[in-house]
Amino acid sequence: MQEFLSDAIKPYLNRINAIRTAMTLIEWDNETGAPKGAAEYTANVQGVLAAEYQRAVLEPDFVKLIRQLKADENGTEAQRATGRLLDKEISKLEKIPIEEYENYNRILAQAAGVWQKAKKENDYAAFAPYLELIIEYCKKFAALQAKEGQKLYDVMLEEFEEGFTMEVLDSFFAELKEKIVPLLKKVQAAPQIDADFLHRKYDREKQKEFCLWLAEYLDFDSDRGLILESEHPFTTNLHNHDVRMTTHYYEDAPDSAVFSLIHETGHALYEQDIDDELTQTPVGGGSSMGMHESQSRFYENILGRSEAFWEPVYKKLTETFPQQLGDVTLRQFIRAINRAEPGLIRTEADELTYCLHIMVRYEIEKMIFEENVSVKELPEIWADKYEEYLGIRPENDAEGILQDIHWANGSFGYFPSYALGTAISAQIYHQMKKDLPVDALLREGKLDQIHAYMKERLHHFGAVKKTGDILEEFCGEGFNPGYYTEYLEEKFAGLYGV
Ligand code: ZN
């Protein structure tokens, strides 16, 4: 591993990597096991580690080496990608004063706990001062990074997905809105699908047993990975030999655990598949947030909600829950897990309405960064937008603006990646069907073959290739959301007969 990097660079990278590993482990622990009362104290450690990370990245000799690496036209693809990514990180961090970066990271660490409590107690006022501070820092840092004439929110977006500016995203979301909103109206006017049986009582331990089995069925390598529980399911990794994910178990909603698990397994497979040569280097992770989300959404929705996928699996589920599902046919089950129903919670949203949730967040983030809307006004704006796009209004902030952790993490500009990834997943599927008998493989339970294809065409590159280049090579064209709207129209026309 790391063979492609010079001996001069390695010690610096190893130090950076060690600090990042410590930070990732603390975050993982905070989400999955640390006692609640510890957060405030651990936050100090997190602030210090963030500052240490910044110092390590900005070591003058290291900066020199990286800029040489970036400029070397004879370098390999992996070397140049490493130079490009690290130069981006250096350029960002060198503009931020070290004390401010430490403070900001300490506030983020505190905000995570404050947000969690505020959500539980439906107390937006408790979280608002933190949100205000975080926004203030993000704006300040974005202004320091901005190239001449570049808008602040475009700086934020650039961090997660290169090339997807407000201009590109505005037209992407406009296309989604134009296709999805009328389709949703038609679906709502059609006879609704019965899903009451999904709200019977499903033992948590049995759900867990099924989910652990399902992860292995999907080809997750448990020797190099771990599955625990957390309020919000997520995936993180130290490197491709240590990939960790979580799900959650609700007694009256087994589909929540199952589809969260399938989603996170999509993320996890991507990370586990990255070439060993890239392990513990800056290019040893996924190509971008959007590309990552394309994998999780592909597994969760395109494979995981298909009839072909469940044909060999449903028997196992009914054996696990004979009382709850004994009287439910496979067809009834498939219809239920694909039903479209506007709801208030993004992570529980169906395929048809999901991107509308993202659109709400995107528009609000734009208002925060470009129109300076105040933190106080946000809950009302949130509720209005839900009413406008989804036809429902949250009755409290816990099921409204407080539902996602992203803003407490300072991750403004991240949400659009979910919609982009979802659209990319349909584009990839379109290509995959030309190369593989996808349905037949699913019916035969040969998930390993689908996985091997994904590894070969996409996963193993890590971040050596840019998302746009991977798509171009994989599908023969750049990002094209047309496949996604087509996929939705075909699927929901069939389900609801509209
Ligand atoms: Zn995800």
Side-chain angles (χ1 to χ4, degrees):
M1 76 191 181
Q2 299 187 345
E3 287 309 317
F4 66 98
L5 293 168
S6 72
D7 287 341
I9 288 181
K10 280 180 195 166
Y12 294 102
L13 272 185
N14 287 339
R15 180 171 152 72
I16 291 170
N17 192 46
I19 300 169
R20 287 192 67 137
T21 300
M23 292 165 81
T24 307
L25 279 174
I26 292 177
E27 279 161 27
W28 167 261
D29 185 53
N30 281 345
E31 295 295 323
T32 56
K36 279 192 190 71
E40 207 186 318
Y41 302 90
T42 312
N44 291 327
V45 177
Q46 289 172 282
V48 171
L49 281 172
E52 281 306 310
Y53 169 76
Q54 190 187 24
R55 271 189 203 102
V57 171
L58 296 180
E59 271 302 324
D61 289 340
F62 177 66
V63 171
K64 224 183 279 166
L65 286 166
I66 291 306
R67 299 233 148 111
Q68 280 165 1
L69 188 66
K70 194 195 168 208
D72 182 7
E73 282 168 15
N74 298 319
T76 63
E77 219 181 357
Q79 287 168 339
R80 277 180 290 133
T82 303
R84 176 169 49 80
L85 286 177
L86 281 172
D87 178 61
K88 191 178 166 189
E89 185 76 346
I90 290 167
S91 303
K92 178 182 136 190
L93 291 178
E94 69 187 355
K95 298 189 182 91
I96 302 175
I98 208 154
E99 327 69 66
E100 293 204 27
Y101 193 64
E102 182 174 342
N103 264 337
Y104 171 64
N105 277 285
R106 191 181 302 121
I107 289 163
L108 287 187
Q110 288 165 351
V114 174
W115 165 78
Q116 214 161 46
K117 191 159 174 267
K119 182 182 169 186
K120 200 170 248 163
E121 294 169 4
N122 185 30
D123 184 3
Y124 179 71
F127 177 57
Y130 284 86
L131 183 58
E132 202 164 340
L133 260 178
I134 292 169
I135 291 171
E136 219 171 275
Y137 269 112
C138 286
K139 279 184 181 170
K140 197 173 184 182
F141 295 164
L144 292 170
Q145 321 282 333
K147 297 178 197 94
E148 214 188 305
Q150 194 182 17
K151 298 229 164 83
L152 290 190
Y153 190 46
D154 277 338
V155 178
M156 304 302 293
L157 289 168
E158 176 94 11
E159 170 97 14
F160 300 106
E161 212 60 63
E162 257 178 58
F164 285 89
T165 57
M166 281 185 274
E167 200 187 332
V168 176
L169 287 172
D170 281 347
S171 79
F172 167 58
F173 282 118
E175 186 176 341
L176 291 189
K177 195 167 21 178
E178 194 191 306
K179 298 273 167 59
I180 293 175
V181 173
L183 182 57
L184 178 62
K185 288 219 166 88
K186 278 199 255 176
V187 160
Q188 285 183 295
Q192 293 305 292
I193 293 171
D194 172 33
D196 285 351
F197 56 83
L198 287 176
H199 303 302
R200 292 168 181 167
K201 227 173 152 186
Y202 292 79
D203 180 70
R204 280 170 214 258
E205 281 309 311
K206 283 193 171 158
Q207 287 190 44
K208 192 170 163 183
E209 199 181 293
F210 179 78
C211 281
L212 296 184
W213 173 83
L214 190 60
E216 297 227 355
Y217 179 79
L218 289 163
D219 224 16
F220 176 73
D221 182 351
S222 312
D223 288 337
R224 297 195 286 144
L226 192 64
I227 308 171
L228 294 186
E229 289 171 47
S230 68
E231 162 99 19
H232 264 248
F234 71 104
T235 303
T236 189
N237 61 305
L238 303 183
H239 43 71
N240 63 342
H241 289 256
D242 188 340
V243 180
R244 304 164 180 223
M245 59 173 166
T246 66
T247 187
H248 53 202
Y249 303 101
Y250 301 129
E251 211 163 49
D252 60 348
D255 47 335
S256 182
V258 167
F259 289 101
S260 293
L261 184 278
I262 302 178
H263 178 102
E264 299 309 331
T265 304
H267 283 303
L269 293 178
Y270 190 178
E271 291 294 337
Q272 289 189 330
D273 286 347
I274 291 170
D275 285 339
D276 275 341
E277 190 202 349
L278 310 176
T279 305
Q280 293 182 313
T281 74
V283 287
S287 164
S288 72
M289 293 305 158
M291 198 50 117
H292 238 299
E293 229 28 64
S294 82
Q295 296 310 291
S296 53
R297 305 280 295 163
F298 176 78
Y299 270 88
E300 175 193 351
N301 293 320
I302 294 181
L303 297 186
R305 293 185 201 270
S306 73
E307 189 158 349
F309 175 84
W310 282 97
E311 255 186 47
V313 175
Y314 189 57
K315 197 166 167 268
K316 170 95 182 163
L317 187 66
T318 52
E319 279 168 7
T320 312
F321 296 107
Q323 277 171 350
Q324 295 82 346
L325 292 173
D327 60 341
V328 179
T329 64
L330 172 63
R331 200 180 138 67
Q332 285 173 312
F333 177 74
I334 294 298
R335 287 176 60 77
I337 58 173
N338 281 291
R339 72 198 183 284
E341 205 170 43
L344 291 166
I345 308 298
R346 175 184 64 85
T347 52
E348 308 291 333
D350 57 78
E351 262 185 290
L352 187 56
T353 56
Y354 185 83
C355 285
L356 300 176
H357 291 259
I358 301 303
M359 217 147 68
V360 168
R361 289 152 178 80
Y362 168 67
E363 289 181 3
I364 294 178
E365 290 189 351
K366 243 168 68 173
M367 291 171 83
I368 291 173
F369 282 86
E370 299 304 325
E371 295 169 28
N372 291 317
V373 59
S374 82
V375 162
K376 229 189 208 152
E377 294 169 86
L378 293 180
E380 203 61 21
I381 297 173
W382 180 287
D384 288 345
K385 286 196 182 290
Y386 262 79
E387 197 157 4
E388 187 186 342
Y389 297 144
L390 288 128
I392 41 173
R393 197 176 177 88
E395 281 175 18
N396 59 60
D397 294 330
E399 56 181 25
I401 193 163
L402 285 173
Q403 69 182 268
D404 295 305
I405 192 172
H406 302 60
W407 292 349
N409 284 340
S411 298
F412 294 92
Y414 187 114
F415 280 118
S417 310
Y418 290 117
L420 289 172
T422 305
I424 292 173
S425 73
Q427 187 172 351
I428 285 172
Y429 180 49
H430 182 84
Q431 180 61 40
M432 185 186 268
K433 278 192 294 184
K434 289 186 202 166
D435 301 333
L436 285 182
V438 182
D439 273 6
L441 291 173
L442 289 173
R443 289 204 164 89
E444 290 161 22
K446 293 180 176 158
L447 272 294
D448 55 333
Q449 290 193 27
I450 292 173
H451 178 200
Y453 170 87
M454 215 50 128
K455 178 175 180 178
E456 151 90 26
R457 303 290 294 264
L458 196 161
H459 293 173
H460 82 99
F461 298 120
V464 167
K465 288 180 191 288
K466 290 185 184 180
T467 290
D469 296 338
I470 294 175
L471 263 186
E472 195 87 41
E473 284 170 31
F474 195 146
C475 305
E477 65 175 322
F479 177 63
N480 180 350
Y483 296 109
Y484 175 53
T485 49
E486 240 168 62
Y487 161 85
L488 284 179
E489 277 166 342
E490 196 188 310
K491 177 166 185 173
F492 286 92
L495 257 172
Y496 284 85
V498 294

